[in-house]
Amino acid sequence: QVQLVESGGGLVQAGGSLRLSCVASGSIFRVNLMGWYRQAPGKQRELVATAGFTSGGITNYADSVKGRFTISRDSAKSTVYLQMNSLKPEDAAVYYCTAVGEDSARRNFGRWGQGTPVNVSS
């Protein structure tokens, strides 16, 4: 089984920063991509950022976070980070980590973390 564990959420004032972490563990052969989505109350889950784990490591960001958020990865640790700067009240949401890859039996997997809340006070 592959599991994702997120950490780093919390309460911050507008303009502040937070760093989220997500570790993938279990019977993993290879992680191909990890990323972050968020869901605010009453809204659909939306993409925040993703990072490829293959050579090249292409990153992708939602327009709303470009220039403020940075996604990074540690392939050896199957870990992805999200550095969030200049936070705005509209960034408040539950942030979910996601991972796609192959498990030790070479079966494709896709997983979601349990979510970590980010609250931004104005």
Side-chain angles (χ1 to χ4, degrees):
Q1 278 285 8
V2 177
Q3 296 178 328
L4 304 182
V5 177
E6 303 130 326
S7 61
L11 173 64
V12 65
Q13 287 188 328
S17 299
L18 281 175
R19 188 188 193 215
L20 306 182
S21 301
C22 176
V23 180
S25 63
S27 303
I28 298 172
F29 173 74
R30 177 170 56 210
V31 174
N32 292 326
L33 180 143
M34 293 184 74
W36 296 92
Y37 283 69
R38 67 186 181 187
Q39 188 167 19
K43 295 188 177 182
Q44 289 188 331
R45 191 172 297 190
E46 63 177 5
L47 169 74
V48 177
T50 60
F53 272 53
T54 57
S55 60
I58 294 174
T59 57
N60 182 45
Y61 294 92
D63 288 343
S64 59
V65 306
K66 283 180 180 176
R68 300 187 298 122
F69 291 11
T70 302
I71 190 168
S72 60
R73 59 184 171 87
D74 185 332
S75 299
K77 298 180 179 179
S78 297
T79 299
V80 68
Y81 306 95
L82 186 68
Q83 178 66 43
M84 304 185 293
N85 298 329
S86 302
L87 281 160
K88 304 175 181 180
E90 52 264 41
D91 294 317
V94 177
Y95 282 68
Y96 295 91
C97 176
T98 186
V100 175
E102 294 177 55
D103 65 16
S104 57
R106 298 294 193 101
R107 295 170 300 197
N108 294 330
F109 72 82
R111 292 288 187 272
W112 291 96
Q114 79 282 1
T116 185
V118 171
N119 294 294
V120 183
S121 62
S122 57

